[in-house]
């Protein structure tokens, strides 16, 4: 057993789970015990994913993968704004007029707008939603919420803006209309996404929103 | 070697123990079928079902699982199920509260990954119904024309009148409101036999009219507040109570609507249930409020209070608090003659969206001599996110949602007609007449040039038996607004009360010249002419009054008397 362990020369790299790399060269019984315990009891940590594939976990409504960030690089648009939404989230729906207004203002100025739905929502549901709420934007389905995680968004509605070099330049709430669940201002006093798009188009850094996005938690792992 | 084997054995043992513990913990984690489904079925599905008043359903594992964390969050914050009163008083029918343990279960379930678990075989699948709760109604009244709610608008509070809604005299025992659209957040239903709502509707060019005043004469039912919010099904009068409705009475839907992000068609219905037995129960709609409301910008804890001492024994059937967006806490309580205090309503986190009435499981007996009190507080600071004004502004009493109010309504049961009359006289003298004057004075202060508000003050002063003050105020109104018909009408009634018939005729004549289609002015002019011995001149005015308002029984009787006095046959 000792010789087998010596041959193992285990080199365990654990990311992003804060596990420690362990290189075993000459295991003592104690070290072997600890090693086995660490191996058996450690949480399941997925292998580190390479960059970029999160964007290609997005499907269009025809079911084809869309690498939207690559598309952005190759298009004349300067920015891409992704609004994470759900057909059945009442808070997300209340924002429909604001999203349409942002599209009307910024799409002519070189900003692509995309609505990003969870993979659990079908193309048919999404098409009806787009029609009901008169959304002019393209729509994508985010399998296993990978793009949401890459974009660091947690709820619907929440926004993420990427520049043409594929960098995430803004993520967070659209405005401060909701203070927390159940507490809504009569109208927003700060329009975070609007300000961010203005800043980015002018070549400035976007400011992080002053408060958290409020809405239905993006959850589940289809 | 031996040491290695011992170490391996120890490791294996530890692993086995840990594995068993993890497995056991996984087994004891809540599952949908075992713990969550029954909980959701009991507390959530009444609203969250297909066709229900909410944007999504919670009637299957996939539906609930995809919101597990959100459900855990909103229940832990006690946003859902929505219930404003604090625990420990009431108790109220239909209380919607989860226990701490139930909230813990939902949280644990979400944290453990929202496991489905195996079906136990003993589940009761969630049930709901979109049928009328009390069976086939006696009458269904639907708004004839839909109101289009815009896709994006501030909250809308609006009244819609269905004229001549009641086809025959009937005794109402229950109602069920069906909004037909989740954009309606709450509603009140009123019955109006006097036409005040129609008048307000006629003045507004759009469908319905805004605000929280449904018009003079619009009333809820006896012993029922006729309020609706999501989750409220049918409302039945307490046993022994019913409300007489007159043929031709109008129905008013007063609704609070919130935009959903797309235009919505608003066309609700209400089911009415009647009884052949008229009410034996005696109820009284009792109000405590303060209109002395002037909240400075920035005030965080502004309070208003009111109280009244009961002249007779009463039982409290139900209670309805009312404030607008700045409201924070609502307290109502009773101080009994023996020194004890009984909480009637305690709300510490007011939410305008979830206002409703609360009916006690057992009506609360309050003996004669009890002082009933209310105290409401308001937050007009910038830190109140629901402040309609940012930056904050001074906010005063008023009926628009941008104003503020503080009202605590009670449905009381009285023992017999004598005590009801005694209560009414004492309450009118000691509370409601002074309140009417205070309210009218406040409204005049806020709207100095408003003839309508000034004339209301005059009326209140007349009720308070302050006729000289009333006449002085009235003369000023007429001097500043000589074409305001109602001022002349009120002046006529004051002169008639003083038996100055000549002056009364002049005043009523002017009121009729300015508003020929006011049936009350026509009737009163006819009465003054009849009193002066001029029946011939009175008859056309009575005929006109009856033609405008066939339900005016007083005008009908006066017409009969006038005709009899001249023995003239009825005109065709």
């Amino acid at each position: 057993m000792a010789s087998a362990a010596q041959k193992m020369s285990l080199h365990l790299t654990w990311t992003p789970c804060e596990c420690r790399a362990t290189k075993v060269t000459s295991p003592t019984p104690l070290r072997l015990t600890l090693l086995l315990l660490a191996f058996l009891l450690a949480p399941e940590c997925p292998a580190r994913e390479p960059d970029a594939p999160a964007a290609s976990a997005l499907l269009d409504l025809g079911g084809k993968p869309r690498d939207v960030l690559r598309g952005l690089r190759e298009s004349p648009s300067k920015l891409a704004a992704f609004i994470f939404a759900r057909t059945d989230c009442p808070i997300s729906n209340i924002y429909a007029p604001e999203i349409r207004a942002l599209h009307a203002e910024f799409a002519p100025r070189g900003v692509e707008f995309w609505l990003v739905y969870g993979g659990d929502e079908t193309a048919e549901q999404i098409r009806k939603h787009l029609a009901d709420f008169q959304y002019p934007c393209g729509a994508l389905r985010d399998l296993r919420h990978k793009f949401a995680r890459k974009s660091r968004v947690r709820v619907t509605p929440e926004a993420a803006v990427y520049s043409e070099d594929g960098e995430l330049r803004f993520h967070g709430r659209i405005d401060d209309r909701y203070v927390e669940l159940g507490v809504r201002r009569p109208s927003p006093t700060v329009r975070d996404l609007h300000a961010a798009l203005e800043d980015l188009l002018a070549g400035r850094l976007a400011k992080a929103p002053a408060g958290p996005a409020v809405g239905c938690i993006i959850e589940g792992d289809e | 070697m031996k040491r290695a084997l011992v170490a391996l054995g120890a490791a294996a043992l530890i692993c086995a123990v840990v594995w068993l513990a993890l497995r056991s913990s996984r087994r004891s984690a809540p599952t949908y079928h075992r713990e969550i489904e029954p909980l959701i079925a009991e507390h959530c599905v009444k609203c969250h079902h297909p066709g229900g008043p909410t944007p999504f359903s919670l009637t299957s594992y996939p539906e609930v699982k995809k919101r597990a964390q959100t459900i855990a969050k909103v229940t832990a914050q006690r946003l859902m199920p929505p219930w404003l009163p604090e625990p420990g008083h009431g108790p109220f029918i239909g209380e919607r509260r989860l226990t701490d343990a139930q909230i813990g279960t939902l949280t644990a379930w979400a944290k453990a990954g929202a496991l489905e678990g195996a079906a136990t075989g003993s589940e009761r699948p969630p049930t709901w119904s979109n049928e009328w709760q009390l069976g086939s109604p006696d009458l269904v009244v639907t708004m004839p024309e839909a109101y289009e709610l815009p896709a994006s608008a501030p909250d809308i509070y609006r009244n819609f009148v269905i004229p001549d809604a009641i086809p025959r005299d009937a005794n109402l025992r229950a109602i069920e409101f069906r909004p037909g659209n989740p954009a309606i957040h709450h509603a009140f239903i009123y019955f109006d036999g006097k036409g005040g709502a129609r008048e307000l509707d006629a003045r507004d060019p759009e469908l319905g009219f805004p605000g929280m005043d449904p018009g003079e004469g619009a009333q809820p039912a006896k012993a029922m507040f006729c309020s609706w919010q999501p989750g409220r099904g049918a409302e039945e009068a307490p046993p022994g109570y019913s409300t007489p409705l007159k043929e031709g009475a109008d129905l008013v839907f007063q609704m609070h609507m919130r935009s959903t992000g797309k235009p919505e068609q608003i066309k609700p219905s209400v089911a009415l249930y009647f009884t052949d037995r008229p009410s034996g129960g005696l109820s009284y709609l009792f109000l405590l409020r303060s209109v002395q409301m002037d909240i400075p910008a920035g005030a965080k804890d502004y309070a208003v209070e009111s109280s009244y001492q009961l002249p007779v024994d009463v039982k409290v059937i139900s209670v309805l608090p009312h404030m607008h967006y700045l409201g924070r806490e609502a307290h109502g309580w009773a101080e009994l003659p023996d020194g004890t205090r009984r909480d009637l309503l305690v709300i510490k986190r007011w939410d305008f969206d979830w206002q409703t009435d609360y009916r006690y499981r057992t009506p609360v007996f309050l003996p004669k001599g009890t002082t009933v009190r209310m105290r409401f507080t308001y937050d007009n600071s910038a830190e109140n996110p629901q402040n309609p004004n940012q930056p904050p502004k001074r906010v005063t009493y008023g009926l628009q949602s941008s104003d503020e109010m503080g009202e605590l309504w009670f449905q009381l049961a009285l023992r017999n007609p004598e005590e009801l009359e005694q209560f009414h006289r004492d309450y009118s003298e000691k509370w409601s007449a002074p309140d009417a004057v205070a309210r009218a004075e406040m409204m005049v202060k806020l709207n100095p040039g408003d003839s309508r508000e000034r004339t209301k003050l005059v009326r209140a002063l007349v009720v308070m038996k302050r006729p000289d003050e009333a006449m002085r105020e009235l003369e000023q109104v007429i001097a500043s607004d000589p074409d305001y018909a109602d001022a002349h009408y009120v002046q006529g009634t004051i002169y008639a009360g003083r038996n100055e018939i000549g002056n009364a005729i002049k005043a009523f004549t002017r009121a009729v010249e300015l508003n020929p289609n006011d049936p009350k002015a026509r009737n009163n002019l006819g009465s003054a002419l009849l009193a002066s011995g001029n029946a011939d001149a009175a008859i056309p005015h009575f005929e006109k009054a009856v033609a405008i308002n066939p339900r005016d029984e007083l005008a009908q009787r006066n017409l009969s008397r006038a005709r009899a006095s001249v023995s003239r046959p009825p005109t065709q």
Side-chain angles (χ1 to χ4, degrees), chain B residues 192-273:
Chain B
D192 184 2
K194 295 191 180 169
R198 279 200 212 187
E199 280 183 35
L200 293 172
D201 194 15
R203 289 187 213 162
D204 190 302
E206 289 183 38
L207 191 63
F209 56 94
M212 295 181 198
D213 179 4
E216 208 175 310
Q219 297 280 328
K222 291 202 180 300
M224 289 200 286
F225 279 112
C226 301
S227 78
W228 178 89
Q229 56 164 229
R232 163 73 59 94
E235 183 179 3
E236 291 183 84
Y241 286 89
S242 63
T243 304
L245 299 179
K246 285 284 186 196
E247 177 185 335
D250 300 340
L251 216 139
V252 184
F253 291 145
Q254 182 179 90
M255 295 186 289
H256 171 212
M257 297 170 279
R258 310 187 86 178
S259 289
T260 62
K262 62 180 170 69
E264 300 285 356
Q265 298 296 310
I266 305 295
K267 202 171 190 278
S269 301
V270 67
L272 305 182
Y273 297 84

Side-chain angles (χ1 to χ4, degrees), chain B residues 67 102 105 110-111 398 436 454 476 563:
Chain B
R67 297 178 192 280
Q102 288 169 327
T105 299
K111 271 195 181 146
R454 293 177 76 185
Q476 287 176 22
R563 283 182 181 147

Side-chain angles (χ1 to χ4, degrees), chain B residues 497-548:
Chain B
R498 290 177 179 176
N499 216 23
E500 294 178 37
I501 302 301
N503 283 333
I505 289 173
K506 275 190 206 155
F508 287 134
T509 301
R510 187 74 187 119
V512 167
E513 279 170 7
L514 291 167
N515 189 357
N517 292 321
D518 181 356
K520 290 188 282 202
R522 288 280 187 175
N523 174 76
N524 285 14
L525 176 54
S527 295
L529 287 165
L530 191 60
S532 73
N534 196 347
D536 284 320
I539 285 170
H541 293 293
F542 290 136
E543 286 174 342
K544 185 71 176 169
V546 168
I548 295 166

Side-chain angles (χ1 to χ4, degrees), chain A residues 1 29 33 36-37 40-41 86 88 90 93-94 96-97 100 120 132-133 179 181-186 216-217 219, chain B residues 7-8 11 14-15 18 55-56 65-70 74 79 151-152 155 258-262 385-388:
Chain A
M1 179 61 73
T33 305
L36 278 171
L37 277 173
L40 290 168
L41 300 179
R86 281 199 67 84
D88 57 3
N93 289 338
I94 282 167
R100 291 202 304 271
D120 64 308
D132 284 347
F133 288 86
V179 177
L181 283 173
V183 182
R184 189 175 93 163
R185 296 179 201 282
C216 306
I217 297 171
E219 56 184 299
Chain B
L8 259 174
I14 293 170
C15 291
V18 170
F56 54 83
K65 175 186 193 293
K66 70 180 173 185
R67 297 178 192 280
Q69 292 178 51
T70 301
V74 298
L79 291 175
S152 175
D155 283 11
R258 310 187 86 178
S259 289
T260 62
K262 62 180 170 69
Q386 288 172 324
N387 195 327

Side-chain angles (χ1 to χ4, degrees), chain B residues 193-426:
Chain B
K194 295 191 180 169
R198 279 200 212 187
E199 280 183 35
L200 293 172
D201 194 15
R203 289 187 213 162
D204 190 302
E206 289 183 38
L207 191 63
F209 56 94
M212 295 181 198
D213 179 4
E216 208 175 310
Q219 297 280 328
K222 291 202 180 300
M224 289 200 286
F225 279 112
C226 301
S227 78
W228 178 89
Q229 56 164 229
R232 163 73 59 94
E235 183 179 3
E236 291 183 84
Y241 286 89
S242 63
T243 304
L245 299 179
K246 285 284 186 196
E247 177 185 335
D250 300 340
L251 216 139
V252 184
F253 291 145
Q254 182 179 90
M255 295 186 289
H256 171 212
M257 297 170 279
R258 310 187 86 178
S259 289
T260 62
K262 62 180 170 69
E264 300 285 356
Q265 298 296 310
I266 305 295
K267 202 171 190 278
S269 301
V270 67
L272 305 182
Y273 297 84
F274 301 135
T275 174
D276 291 332
R277 280 195 294 172
S279 170
L282 299 168
S283 68
Y284 198 92
L285 185 59
F286 163 64
L287 168 64
L288 285 181
R289 73 163 170 202
S290 175
V291 297
Q292 310 292 357
M293 194 164 301
D294 195 339
I295 313 175
K300 271 183 126 41
D301 199 22
Y302 183 89
V304 296
E305 298 180 343
S306 183
S307 63
Y308 172 67
Q309 188 172 44
L310 301 173
V312 297
D313 296 344
V314 305
K315 285 186 183 173
V316 186
I317 297 169
S318 53
V319 62
L320 170 70
H322 183 72
M323 297 193 271
H324 299 173
Y325 290 105
L326 302 184
R328 271 184 62 157
E329 297 197 17
H331 292 255
W333 70 98
E335 292 169 0
L336 276 65
D338 65 4
T340 56
R341 171 181 166 137
R342 168 79 196 251
D343 279 327
L344 295 171
L345 184 68
V346 181
I347 290 176
K348 292 194 173 168
R349 271 190 342 182
W350 171 254
D351 188 336
F352 180 67
D353 287 343
W354 293 106
Q355 61 177 303
T356 189
D357 63 295
Y358 303 97
R359 191 184 293 189
Y360 298 93
R361 284 207 204 128
T362 306
V364 180
F365 175 71
L366 298 178
K368 170 180 170 176
T370 297
T371 300
V372 185
R373 295 190 185 274
M374 62 83 82
R375 185 174 191 273
F376 287 7
T377 63
Y378 302 82
D379 181 354
N380 192 18
S381 68
E383 287 73 43
N384 179 1
Q386 288 172 324
N387 195 327
N389 304 304
Q390 293 286 2
K393 287 191 218 171
R394 174 191 179 212
V395 172
T396 54
Y397 170 81
L399 288 154
Q400 301 303 321
S401 54
S402 52
D403 304 317
E404 238 345 301
M405 293 172 76
E407 298 188 343
L408 192 57
W409 294 87
F410 298 87
Q411 290 280 8
L412 302 180
L414 281 296
R415 183 179 286 125
N416 56 51
E418 293 73 35
E419 290 190 5
L420 179 73
E421 179 58 29
Q422 187 182 346
F423 183 95
H424 176 65
R425 270 190 275 112
D426 187 80

Side-chain angles (χ1 to χ4, degrees), chain A residues 95-176:
Chain A
Y95 272 88
E98 172 67 7
I99 294 165
R100 291 202 304 271
L102 288 165
H103 178 273
E105 185 175 348
F106 289 102
R109 293 166 62 185
V111 181
E112 287 178 13
F113 278 80
W114 295 92
L115 286 161
V116 182
Y117 297 81
D120 64 308
E121 305 217 77
T122 66
E124 188 187 338
Q125 285 171 324
I126 295 166
R127 282 197 194 96
K128 181 174 187 305
H129 191 241
L130 296 175
D132 284 347
F133 288 86
Q134 298 172 327
Y135 278 122
C137 332
L140 301 160
R141 294 169 62 229
D142 179 16
L143 299 186
R144 299 173 71 86
H145 306 301
K146 281 188 181 170
F147 192 57
R149 276 196 290 278
K150 174 186 168 66
S151 305
R152 291 154 73 182
V153 304
R154 291 183 43 257
V155 301
T156 63
E158 195 167 355
V161 181
Y162 287 80
S163 48
E164 52 196 334
D165 57 0
E167 289 297 313
L168 178 65
R169 299 293 178 182
F170 171 88
H171 67 94
R173 67 183 188 187
I174 296 173
D175 60 33
D176 71 345

Side-chain angles (χ1 to χ4, degrees), chain A residues 59-82:
Chain A
L59 303 181
D60 65 19
L61 295 189
K64 284 166 53 177
R66 289 287 296 268
D67 188 340
V68 285
L69 295 183
R70 183 175 169 176
L72 177 64
R73 274 199 301 277
E74 296 168 356
S75 79
S77 302
K78 301 174 196 142
L79 301 170
F82 298 90

